[in-house]
Amino acid sequence: MKYCFLIIFLFLSLSEGVFAQKANIKGRVTDAQGSPMEFAALYVENTNIGTTTNEEGDYLLKLAPGTYTLVFQYVGFKTQSQEVVLAGEDILLDIILSTEAMMLKEIIVEVNDKDPAYAIIQQAQQKRKYYLEEELKSYQCKVYIKGLQRLSEKPNRFMGVRIDVDTGIVYLSESYSELSYQQPNQYKERMIASKVSGDSRGFSFNQATDAWLNLYENISAKDLTERGLVSPIAANAMAYYRYRLEGAFYQNGILINKIRVIPRRKSAPAYSGFIYITEGTWRIHSTDLFLKKGSVEFVDSITVQQVYAPVAESDVWLPLSQKFFFSADGFGFKGNGYFAFIYSDYVVEPAFPKKYFGKEVITVEKESNKKDSTYWEQIRPVPLTLEETKDYQRKDSLQIIRQSPIYRDSLDRARNRISVGEVLWAGYTYRNTARKKTISFQPIFSTFQFNTVEGLVTDFTIDYQKNYEDRRYFSIQPTLRYGFANQRLQAKVAAAYRFNPLQNAQISLEGGRYIEQISRVQSISPFVNSVYTLFMEQNFLKIYEKTYGKVRYQQRFFKSLRLFTELEYASRDPMENNSDYSFRDVKNREFTPNVPATRENINAAFEQNQALTFGAVLLINFKQKYARYPDRLFVIESNLPTLRINYRKGIAMLGSDVNYDFLTLGVFQSLSLGVVGNMEYNLEVASFLNNSKMTFIDYRHFLGNQTIFYRNAFGGFQLLDYYRLSTNQTYVLSNFEHHFEGFLFNAIPLFKKLKWQAVVSANYLYTEDTRHYLELSLGIEHIFKILRVDFISALQTGRPLNTGFRIGFGF
């Protein structure tokens, strides 16, 4: 009897293996003229199984034996259903899709009535919030992503720098992830498989989290444009779109309305193209939308195609596929590409464990890049094109060759050739790929400076860096500086070691004898000061000599805390002017001494002194989310402000001449306000808890500006003298700036044509001595795409103090 059971058991086991084995359904989807339908959607009716065709129109489905109904659809074409019977052998099934024959709905339209599309859109608007927030509380699915970027044309050199990238496919990557979602707007992604062409050790940067362009939200595409784009069914969509009903058709007994969406203004933050709405349920069926040049960042145009489909055994419709097609042309570069997202294996309303959704939003499994070709053939829902297959084969073969010392040496010899552009303004880097070492030299253009203390200055830095396999690195930077007027040689060396990439933990040492601005931070750039000294006979740069040793340490703790510390011992020596040279003599103007001009009750001059100081900055990001890769950690931008705590201590020991305590509490944030634009703010409250022994160097100096050039560093001022309001007491500082990103100027025809954008800002400072100082600014940016001009008015305790213009970069 036991042998009978054993035989039955073996038979059942073998039978299960045979009958469970999947077979392939493959073929090509074309139109009536035989042209391939790239990225056409297809799915198995009443299941969660679906995929798309590739760029050549080919598709592949793996199914267990059985009878299935395959649904093929492409935006603008008639949906076709095909029943297939699988008996364990592969089936070849080619499909020809015909153009959808639209029928006009039987609606009587009076002369003054709106197009029937408006009534359909209004119905979709009423259902929008239900489909966004109420119909579905959670789901889980698998997401396959493929991204490809091609370069069809390129210059041999750009601004004198050699371009080493070849034409053809420059990026090809696939990923396979498990995506979980729960209201309100909580995501968790686990990347199971990752593949990057030509980099077997690399991990794909494809992300399913937030990748879906959800048109049920009022504003979408925030990563593609500065302002985001208004959905065609947003609550306020009528202010941005005109609509036209192109017709309707039936699919599986459901009437689908095809509606053309047309931006009311050329520069409106809106899509062009078509949206398909189901009759009665008023949900989105599919989309075919277009973003033209000027409305999207970095590329010339983007086409977005989406397909929704009903999930098995439910009335819920969820994404089946999404495709982004893009093209770019500029500066001699020309290319195109796409990203395809395929969603499958949906589980509706799963019961997630408590605390399943946390701060770690994306997790890339350690072995995800170790999957072999057999694994990818089993899980890849979209077959590779011939071009993609050849790219994988060629780059994978090249990767093996690239590991050889001979190839690396030959590649380094080609890259290490020096060009004029690199020497003059781009900088030159010598590479040793085999040993993961680089030596970088700064360009000649940035080497020379001029100031009244040192005269003509040469300041030259060499940067040596050694990288390791686990993303650790060691760097060392020696710097030599020589002033021809004071005939003084300065030298310093800095070394850094990042020993824990996941926590961004790094220790660095620095020391020598060098020049530093009295403001302790760069109040004015050496280049701008050189221009003003030589051409305008104005020397704003105030410096001193520092012989010092310094140790720094930084690390991220608990993902939400970043700590930066510094301990320094320095001998600080005053310096005097040694040059009065200028290209021209400006009437009634003379160079000022190398002592900051400040208020009468403050003595900015100082004698040689010793200073032992300690500083610590703690940045706290509340509810900080992040993506964890096996070799690194990426912080995801938070919607909450960042808290900054800064403490600096002058320590009266080891011969130090300073004794003070300085504490700062601050908060800052950047916010996207949708079509209204983007804003950022900074608020800082600080006090010297102890100021018993200080020099002017130790004061809190604010970022002023006495030049025509706009100070781009947020947190500073545009009309304030560099040292006029420096303090060693309590102060309050706030900064605000809002970029309207076309919200205002798009209503002005000339500004809209020029694509100028408005920007406003306000900077405020309160100190115990000078009370209230305020700057108000109105500016125009994107002039010739890169410039901005601001008009600023300054007030002191409510009274007008100064006005002026500033010119800078405003992308």
Side-chain angles (χ1 to χ4, degrees):
M1 179 64 71
K2 69 176 182 180
Y3 290 110
C4 291
F5 281 116
L6 179 60
I7 292 171
I8 294 172
F9 175 78
L10 291 173
F11 175 79
L12 292 175
S13 299
L14 291 172
S15 299
E16 184 179 58
V18 171
F19 290 119
Q21 185 173 352
K22 292 185 177 182
N24 295 327
I25 304 176
K26 58 184 178 180
R28 174 168 290 192
V29 180
T30 61
D31 60 14
Q33 287 72 42
S35 300
M37 307 291 289
E38 58 179 356
F39 299 106
L42 61 141
Y43 63 93
V44 182
E45 197 171 59
N46 299 321
T47 74
N48 297 324
I49 302 171
T51 184
T52 71
T53 62
N54 62 20
E55 280 190 298
E56 297 172 347
D58 297 325
Y59 73 92
L60 174 67
L61 270 178
K62 299 178 185 296
L63 297 171
T67 301
Y68 303 94
T69 299
L70 303 185
V71 180
F72 297 82
Q73 70 181 76
Y74 191 88
V75 177
F77 285 75
K78 186 177 180 179
T79 299
Q80 184 170 327
S81 299
Q82 182 74 42
E83 185 176 285
V84 295
V85 178
L86 281 178
E89 296 182 354
D90 292 352
I91 291 180
L92 179 64
L93 178 63
D94 293 333
I95 297 294
I96 299 175
L97 296 182
S98 57
T99 304
E100 185 64 63
M102 294 290 170
M103 60 181 184
L104 294 177
K105 299 175 68 176
E106 296 180 358
I107 298 177
I108 299 175
V109 182
E110 301 293 339
V111 175
N112 295 326
D113 283 353
K114 289 185 177 181
D115 190 286
Y118 285 86
I120 298 172
I121 292 297
Q122 287 174 346
Q123 294 284 358
Q125 287 175 319
Q126 293 176 13
K127 297 288 288 186
R128 179 192 65 83
K129 192 172 182 180
Y130 170 76
Y131 291 133
L132 178 66
E133 299 177 358
E134 301 176 24
E135 181 185 47
L136 185 65
K137 299 300 182 183
S138 63
Y139 66 81
Q140 190 173 74
C141 67
K142 298 294 193 304
V143 186
Y144 167 82
I145 306 175
K146 180 164 66 175
L148 181 145
Q149 298 172 30
R150 298 185 188 89
L151 188 63
S152 55
E153 297 178 13
K154 73 173 185 70
N156 292 326
R157 293 182 179 273
F158 181 70
M159 297 183 65
V161 180
R162 183 173 54 255
I163 305 300
D164 293 327
V165 179
D166 295 328
T167 55
I169 295 179
V170 295
Y171 174 80
L172 173 60
S173 176
E174 298 174 276
S175 65
Y176 186 67
S177 299
E178 179 185 76
L179 178 65
S180 303
Y181 169 79
Q182 180 174 275
Q183 292 278 13
N185 201 32
Q186 297 181 85
Y187 288 94
K188 185 178 182 66
E189 178 181 357
R190 180 173 62 91
M191 187 179 292
I192 303 167
S194 167
K195 186 175 179 66
V196 181
S197 182
D199 187 3
S200 62
R201 298 180 180 179
F203 294 94
S204 175
F205 285 96
N206 297 341
Q207 290 184 9
T209 305
D210 287 335
W212 183 253
L213 203 68
N214 194 343
L215 296 181
Y216 288 115
E217 296 180 346
N218 284 321
I219 303 295
S220 61
K222 296 177 183 178
D223 294 332
L224 299 179
T225 68
E226 293 176 327
R227 305 163 62 189
L229 297 173
V230 177
S231 167
I233 62 170
N236 60 341
M238 298 291 180
Y240 294 89
Y241 290 98
R242 296 195 306 273
Y243 303 93
R244 185 167 68 233
L245 179 62
E246 297 290 329
F249 60 91
Y250 279 97
Q251 177 183 309
N252 298 329
I254 301 173
L255 185 62
I256 312 298
N257 298 289
K258 179 181 180 181
I259 298 174
R260 182 184 292 274
V261 297
I262 308 163
R264 287 189 175 274
R265 299 179 305 278
K266 186 178 180 180
S267 56
Y271 301 94
S272 300
F274 300 95
I275 185 169
Y276 295 77
I277 303 294
T278 59
E279 184 80 14
T281 55
W282 314 113
R283 65 170 77 246
I284 299 174
H285 168 273
S286 53
T287 66
D288 187 8
L289 301 172
F290 179 73
L291 307 177
K292 60 183 180 303
K293 185 175 182 178
S295 62
V296 63
E297 298 297 308
F298 310 117
V299 296
D300 289 342
S301 63
I302 291 182
T303 299
V304 183
Q305 293 181 346
Q306 299 175 311
V307 174
Y308 286 79
V311 176
E313 301 178 359
S314 76
D315 296 327
V316 177
W317 287 44
L318 287 169
L320 174 64
S321 66
Q322 175 176 260
K323 288 87 67 179
F324 291 96
F325 307 91
F326 56 87
S327 62
D329 186 359
F331 302 104
F333 296 90
K334 190 174 183 179
N336 60 74
Y338 69 85
F339 279 90
F341 302 80
I342 312 299
Y343 300 80
S344 63
D345 298 341
Y346 277 104
V347 178
V348 176
E349 305 289 2
F352 293 115
K354 289 185 177 180
K355 298 183 179 180
Y356 180 79
F357 295 92
K359 297 180 180 179
E360 190 170 311
V361 178
I362 301 171
T363 304
V364 179
E365 294 186 350
K366 187 175 182 180
E367 301 298 319
S368 61
N369 63 349
K370 302 294 191 298
K371 310 297 184 183
D372 59 19
S373 58
T374 303
Y375 175 89
W376 280 103
E377 289 175 2
Q378 292 297 318
I379 63 100
R380 181 184 287 129
V382 182
L384 296 175
T385 64
L386 181 61
E387 179 191 26
E388 293 164 354
T389 301
K390 288 183 177 180
D391 187 75
Y392 272 132
Q393 293 172 347
R394 183 177 67 87
K395 290 181 179 176
D396 289 347
S397 300
L398 282 176
Q399 185 179 9
I400 298 174
I401 298 174
R402 284 171 179 163
Q403 303 304 317
S404 67
I406 296 176
Y407 178 86
R408 289 182 172 183
D409 291 344
S410 64
L411 184 64
D412 287 341
R413 282 195 298 269
R415 290 179 174 177
N416 291 336
R417 289 196 297 267
I418 302 176
S419 67
V420 175
E422 290 171 329
V423 172
L424 293 179
W425 57 74
Y428 170 73
T429 298
Y430 173 85
R431 300 174 178 85
N432 187 321
T433 307
R435 298 185 178 182
K436 298 184 178 298
K437 296 179 180 180
T438 60
I439 303 177
S440 300
F441 303 84
Q442 69 182 90
I444 292 178
F445 179 78
S446 65
T447 300
F448 293 100
Q449 307 170 17
F450 191 91
N451 61 68
T452 55
V453 175
E454 301 168 285
L456 178 65
V457 177
T458 60
D459 190 307
F460 187 72
T461 299
I462 299 175
D463 185 355
Y464 166 85
Q465 183 163 315
K466 164 68 175 177
N467 297 305
Y468 301 93
E469 293 290 344
D470 55 359
R471 302 190 64 79
R472 292 178 299 117
Y473 71 78
F474 169 77
S475 68
I476 186 167
Q477 292 178 316
T479 300
L480 290 177
R481 179 185 180 100
Y482 184 76
F484 287 87
N486 66 342
Q487 299 181 355
R488 185 81 164 165
L489 177 67
Q490 314 284 351
K492 67 175 181 178
V493 62
Y497 176 53
R498 185 171 71 175
F499 57 90
N500 188 334
L502 283 178
Q503 295 181 338
N504 197 27
Q506 177 176 307
I507 187 169
S508 60
L509 301 173
E510 184 178 325
R513 187 181 69 195
Y514 203 68
I515 300 302
E516 185 168 284
Q517 296 191 31
I518 290 178
S519 58
R520 300 181 72 251
V521 293
Q522 186 167 284
S523 60
I524 182 172
S525 77
F527 173 76
V528 172
N529 180 76
S530 300
V531 171
Y532 267 77
T533 301
L534 293 172
F535 291 94
M536 306 299 294
E537 202 174 354
Q538 290 177 292
N539 57 325
F540 296 122
L541 183 73
K542 307 302 176 185
I543 57 178
Y544 70 98
E545 184 178 86
K546 181 173 73 170
T547 304
Y548 70 103
K550 179 191 301 184
V551 58
R552 289 174 173 164
Y553 181 81
Q554 68 178 54
Q555 185 172 348
R556 181 184 298 276
F557 297 92
F558 310 112
K559 313 301 184 297
S560 298
L561 304 179
R562 285 174 288 168
L563 178 66
F564 304 84
T565 61
E566 175 182 294
L567 181 66
E568 177 186 86
Y569 192 91
S571 176
R572 308 183 295 194
D573 295 276
M575 304 182 75
E576 297 179 348
N577 287 341
N578 290 282
S579 173
D580 59 358
Y581 180 78
S582 181
F583 288 160
R584 68 191 188 103
D585 184 22
V586 181
K587 188 176 181 181
N588 297 325
R589 183 178 294 171
E590 295 181 352
F591 287 125
T592 59
N594 186 42
V595 176
T598 184
R599 302 185 302 283
E600 294 181 356
N601 62 332
I602 295 178
N603 180 16
F606 66 92
E607 298 178 350
Q608 193 274 340
N609 65 88
Q610 317 297 317
L612 175 62
T613 56
F614 169 78
V617 176
L618 180 65
L619 300 180
I620 305 174
N621 295 90
F622 299 100
K623 296 185 178 180
Q624 179 67 66
K625 296 182 178 181
Y626 60 93
R628 179 186 292 276
Y629 281 66
D631 57 349
R632 69 189 87 176
L633 201 72
F634 291 97
V635 172
I636 297 174
E637 187 174 347
S638 173
N639 294 324
L640 297 175
T642 299
L643 177 66
R644 179 181 59 245
I645 303 174
N646 181 12
Y647 175 71
R648 180 157 49 94
K649 169 68 176 175
I651 306 171
M653 61 183 297
L654 301 178
S656 173
D657 299 313
V658 296
N659 181 9
Y660 63 87
D661 294 270
F662 174 65
L663 179 64
T664 303
L665 296 177
V667 62
F668 59 92
Q669 186 179 17
S670 297
L671 287 172
S672 174
L673 302 180
V675 296
V676 180
N678 300 294
M679 64 164 284
E680 55 183 331
Y681 67 86
N682 171 63
L683 177 63
E684 181 179 317
V685 179
S687 180
F688 282 85
L689 308 177
N690 160 36
N691 60 4
S692 58
K693 294 182 67 176
M694 301 180 65
T695 68
F696 189 69
I697 298 173
D698 304 304
Y699 278 47
R700 172 61 162 99
H701 306 290
F702 304 100
L703 294 175
N705 187 13
Q706 293 175 251
T707 74
I708 191 65
F709 302 110
Y710 184 85
R711 172 177 284 281
N712 284 315
F714 185 68
F717 297 83
Q718 300 300 332
L719 297 180
L720 178 65
D721 291 359
Y722 294 111
Y723 297 97
R724 188 173 72 84
L725 299 184
S726 299
T727 184
N728 65 347
Q729 299 177 14
T730 299
Y731 70 85
V732 177
L733 170 72
S734 66
N735 310 94
F736 168 85
E737 186 164 84
H738 184 85
H739 300 262
F740 285 94
E741 313 292 2
F743 179 74
L744 292 180
F745 283 177
N746 280 351
I748 304 174
L750 178 60
F751 287 3
K752 181 176 70 173
K753 185 175 182 179
L754 294 172
K755 297 182 180 179
W756 290 359
Q757 298 181 2
V759 56
V760 297
S761 62
N763 301 300
Y764 171 79
L765 176 63
Y766 170 87
T767 64
E768 295 183 4
D769 286 346
T770 58
R771 312 298 289 177
H772 307 282
Y773 175 81
L774 175 65
E775 290 182 357
L776 300 174
S777 171
L778 174 62
I780 300 175
E781 57 185 351
H782 287 205
I783 302 173
F784 304 117
K785 295 186 178 181
I786 61 171
L787 299 178
R788 70 179 281 175
V789 176
D790 288 71
F791 174 77
I792 307 105
S793 178
L795 299 92
Q796 184 76 59
T797 319
R799 297 180 179 180
L801 180 66
N802 193 11
T803 60
F805 287 92
R806 294 293 182 262
I807 301 172
F809 290 105
F811 297 96

